[in-house]
Structure formats: C-alpha cells, structure tokens
Amino acid sequence: MQIHDKQFKRYIDEAKIQARILEMGQVLTERMKNKNPIFLSILNGSFVLVADLVRACDFDAELSFVRLSSYDKLTSTGRVKMHYGLDDVDLENKDIILIEDIVDTGNTLEFFLPELQIKNPSSITIASLLLKPEVYQKKFPIDIVGFEIPNKFVVGYGLDYDGLGRTLRDIWQLDEKE
Ligand code: IMP
C-alpha cells in the first residue's frame, strides 16, 4: 500500500490489535481497583487507542488530552513541542494513565513527565500500544506495552506518515525494498 512516496506492508492486523487491547484493559482494571483514574491521551497518535482502551477497562475514569509533537515525517527531531496541554486539568492527587501510541526514543515522555510531576498526581502509569526497544534508552519504565516492535517505521491505528495513514485499521510497516 502506498502513502505519499512510500510503500507499506501489513504488519499487525486489526484482530490482533483488538485482542491485545482487551488484555491491556484487564491489566489496567486490576491495577486501578477502587480508583477513578484520569486517562491522559497524547495526541495526535493515541486518539484511536484511547477510544478502544477506555472501553476495555472496567472502571469509571476521567479523560483528557494533550497535544505534543516531535516527529518530522519519518524521524524524530529530538525537540518536543507542546501545542496544548495541562492548563485547565486538575491532576492533584489523581492516578494518571498516560496513553501513548508508540514509544520510540522516549524523548516525548522525557519532556512531558516532569510537566506532570509538578502537578502532584498520586501516581503515573504509562501505557503504550507499541515500543521500539532497540531505540528506547531512557530509564523510566513503560508500565504496559501492547507490542514490542523492531526499529522500523509504522503507520495506521492512529499513527501517521506525514499526516496520512491514521485511519487505517491495521498497523503497516515501511517496506524497506522501496
Ligand atoms: P519518541 O519521542 O521518539 O518516543 O516518539 C514518540 C512519538 O513519535 C510518537 O508518539 C509518534 O507520534 C512518533 N513516532 C515514533 N515512531 C513512529 C513510527 O514508527 N510511526 C509513526 N510515528 C512514530
């Protein structure tokens, strides 16, 4: 399949994604017993995941969004920008579930976690659908990971290549033959 100038091949299909999200929901439900946490979804990429994940969890929760960006087309710029964020969100003594679509270098989280910590939450749990362990070199743990994947660019299920590909139901991997 072609997006802009690149070819992608199907990598993780919708059924497998949905099955894994149910399991992630069960883990979160176990961890959040008797709590009403707040899901904090990092836009744009995690908008599809958060919609599925909140409904795979068996507890009531608040939901809020922040918008961060660091990627330029296929690569991380290393500079994270907060386009909008936490101004009107009360996180004091809250249990935060931070939702990322993918953790790659970890720069986004390294930038953002201190912004959360100064709001005095009671806990921060990080959940990401995808993790690229070969690239990730930060110290903080990603608590709940859907799939560990190799260091290859992927699109679909909320993830984009230069703005496109987010609406695909499966996850597609850059076809290196191209
Ligand atoms: P990090 O700051 O390097 O961990 O990257 C996090 C952000 O970069 C993610 O939330 C995505 O928006 C973007 N990103 C990283 N890897 C990919 C990829 O393979 N496909 C699409 N976006 C990616």
Side-chain angles (χ1 to χ4, degrees), residues 66-83:
V66 294
R67 179 155 178 249
L68 308 176
S69 71
S70 64
Y71 247 61
D72 182 28
K73 298 192 177 137
L74 291 171
T75 42
S76 171
T77 61
R79 295 180 307 279
V80 183
K81 249 170 64 185
M82 177 145 35
H83 301 269

Side-chain angles (χ1 to χ4, degrees), residues 12-28 31 49 52-53 56-57 127-131 142-148 157 171:
I12 310 176
D13 72 22
E14 182 182 10
K16 207 168 161 196
I17 297 169
Q18 293 301 332
R20 186 68 188 120
I21 286 170
L22 288 182
E23 291 172 355
M24 293 170 77
Q26 283 163 4
V27 174
L28 277 170
R31 287 196 185 195
L49 171 63
D52 285 340
L53 189 58
C57 291
S128 180
L129 184 66
L130 303 173
L131 171 70
I142 311 303
D143 303 284
I144 300 173
V145 173
F147 303 94
E148 294 196 348
Y157 197 77
I171 292 173

